[in-house]
Amino acid sequence: MSQRVQKLIEFFTKLPGIGPRQAARLVLDMLNWPAGELEEFSQSISGLGNGPILCTNCFNLTDEEKCSICSSHKRDQTRIAVVEKITDLQSMERTGAFNGVYHVLGGTINPSGGSLPHNLKISELLNRILELQKLTPDVEVIIATNPNTYGETTALYLEEELKPLNVKTTRLARGLAAGSSVEYADEITLVNALKHRR
Ligand SMILES: [Zn+2]
């Protein structure tokens, strides 16, 4: 086995859901790529280390300081959907049914997995709402965590934290079956969960 190939396989196995065999398949396929494409691939990877990756406002992906959603005048900046992960944001964006903005927590509260409230972007959310409330009293926070134990724990915690702020707080409707996820919900389900939020 070539050392260079072996090294790359090891890197791929660090990715979620990729085992050694799958990693080997990916790398062997890449051996057939034209040199230019490999160069581009390696540049996009090293580019991840430069400049902003996460929006300073909502923690979505971006190349600028603020993401395209936070800087869009077409979006209602007073409706904030709080999601666990960037992939949840992307699923909601694909529905095209939500015209507000997001706040990506970066996970859920999961003490046994070592994830505590201070590991999530919760204080950032509270500050963001306080800033927004200086401009308008009409702010809504839509808690869009997943309907599983950790998502529920996180939602309850958020509701408690939001209480003193006197901000309208809603949850995605139960169209999302318990145990399902925002990321993999089909679009109709998500659109309905949003429409009937309460
Ligand atoms: Zn943003």
Side-chain angles (χ1 to χ4, degrees):
M1 174 64 96
S2 143
Q3 285 297 316
R4 283 175 293 169
V5 168
Q6 187 56 41
K7 184 92 196 148
L8 192 53
I9 291 175
E10 281 166 25
F11 274 117
F12 273 107
T13 55
K14 291 185 178 188
L15 296 171
I18 306 272
R21 278 176 59 174
Q22 223 176 343
R25 260 178 52 208
L26 294 173
V27 174
L28 290 176
D29 182 78
M30 289 172 72
L31 292 178
N32 301 319
W33 291 13
E37 212 163 308
L38 286 171
E39 184 61 36
E40 240 179 276
F41 184 66
S42 82
Q43 278 172 8
S44 357
I45 292 174
S46 35
L48 291 178
N50 308 331
I53 293 288
L54 297 181
C55 174
T56 53
N57 196 43
C58 74
F59 304 97
N60 183 17
L61 294 174
T62 178
D63 286 325
E64 317 289 330
E65 200 189 319
K66 279 194 180 181
C67 74
S68 55
I69 299 172
C70 287
S71 32
S72 167
H73 298 296
K74 292 183 182 147
R75 308 291 295 237
D76 184 347
Q77 302 286 334
T78 66
R79 299 284 173 270
I80 305 175
V82 179
V83 295
E84 295 175 13
K85 312 179 296 299
I86 290 169
T87 42
D88 295 337
L89 178 159
Q90 291 167 340
S91 300
M92 281 180 71
E93 274 304 278
R94 269 195 297 273
T95 68
F98 182 61
N99 189 41
V101 292
Y102 298 90
H103 192 89
V104 183
L105 290 173
T108 49
I109 299 171
N110 172 5
S112 55
S115 178
L116 297 166
H118 72 262
N119 300 119
L120 306 176
K121 305 291 185 197
I122 295 177
S123 58
E124 287 85 347
L125 173 67
L126 302 180
N127 285 333
R128 196 177 156 190
I129 295 166
L130 287 171
E131 283 304 308
L132 207 51
Q133 283 177 326
K134 290 180 186 166
L135 306 172
T136 170
D138 180 27
V139 177
E140 180 186 352
V141 176
I142 302 131
I143 300 177
T145 54
N146 287 308
N148 56 38
T149 314
Y150 301 125
E152 287 295 320
T153 308
T154 308
L156 292 176
Y157 183 87
L158 281 175
E159 279 174 345
E160 282 305 309
E161 292 290 300
L162 291 168
K163 259 184 203 158
L165 272 61
N166 254 326
V167 59
K168 183 180 178 195
T169 305
T170 54
R171 299 272 301 269
L172 286 187
R174 291 281 154 258
L176 279 183
S180 66
S181 72
V182 173
E183 181 178 358
Y184 297 110
D186 66 84
E187 295 195 5
I188 296 168
T189 307
L190 254 186
V191 169
N192 278 329
L194 256 173
K195 209 187 286 173
H196 301 294
R197 65 182 187 258
R198 58 197 165 184

